[in-house]
Amino acid sequence: MKWQIAILVMAAATAVQATEIYRWSDEMGHVHFSDSVPERYKSSAVRIEWRVNRGTAAEREQARALAEREKAQAAELARQRQSVPQPVAAAFGPPQTIPQPVAGNADCAQSYQAYRQSQECFAPFIQANGSVKAEAYAQCGEPVLNPSQKCGPPQWN
């Protein structure tokens, strides 16, 4: 049984080594690489000679040494990260509460209306990267800040 598996593995390795690779360009100038060439490109296809390059013994040793150094550096960085104290929630201060609007507060209703109008005015001037074109300020004036800090979330009637 073992010798049958060994023969099968050797046959598979030989088949991989025997694969022919071709290079050709299509009408658009795109270069293709494949083990089979479409019929219309067979006249222009070039067989690529290739072999697996495992490098010299010195190159393999140099690569192993580099991998060991990088692994040691990664371990040192991980150790340094663990030694740095993590911030605790108290360092950021007490949790903020969202103010609740006063029922019927006309000032908040006006603030939200001014905010929505400001957003609508600035909307056409917002660029794909999120920045605002300079001419927006000439046309819309200063942007109105979101009143939710003062008034809480908007009330939809």
Side-chain angles (χ1 to χ4, degrees):
M1 180 69 171
K2 289 182 181 179
W3 62 272
Q4 291 173 337
I5 293 174
I7 290 174
L8 183 62
V9 169
M10 289 174 29
T14 304
V16 169
Q17 290 288 339
T19 301
E20 295 179 347
I21 304 295
Y22 297 93
R23 176 184 188 267
W24 74 94
S25 298
D26 62 16
E27 298 86 14
M28 304 286 290
H30 297 122
V31 178
H32 300 271
F33 293 89
S34 179
D35 60 346
S36 62
V37 181
E39 195 62 40
R40 64 179 176 226
Y41 301 114
K42 285 196 178 196
S43 62
S44 64
V46 177
R47 184 170 181 252
I48 304 294
E49 295 294 326
W50 66 280
R51 63 183 177 87
V52 176
N53 183 359
R54 290 184 170 73
T56 65
E59 290 172 333
R60 289 191 303 267
E61 178 58 30
Q62 186 179 15
R64 186 194 59 73
L66 177 63
E68 284 181 10
R69 281 195 309 270
E70 289 177 348
K71 188 175 180 181
Q73 287 174 344
E76 175 63 20
L77 286 173
R79 187 190 62 73
Q80 288 175 359
R81 280 192 204 109
Q82 289 176 348
S83 67
V84 173
Q86 297 297 317
V88 292
F92 297 104
Q96 296 182 348
T97 59
I98 298 175
Q100 295 300 315
V102 178
N105 188 339
D107 185 43
C108 284
Q110 289 173 349
S111 296
Y112 271 111
Q113 182 179 5
Y115 173 69
R116 282 192 293 272
Q117 289 172 347
S118 176
Q119 292 292 301
E120 289 171 4
C121 184
F122 276 90
F125 299 102
I126 297 176
Q127 299 179 38
N129 65 0
S131 63
V132 179
K133 293 180 182 177
E135 58 263 23
Y137 296 97
Q139 184 170 336
C140 302
E142 284 297 314
V144 176
L145 298 177
N146 187 339
S148 62
Q149 286 291 345
K150 177 179 77 171
C151 299
Q155 297 294 309
W156 307 104
N157 294 333

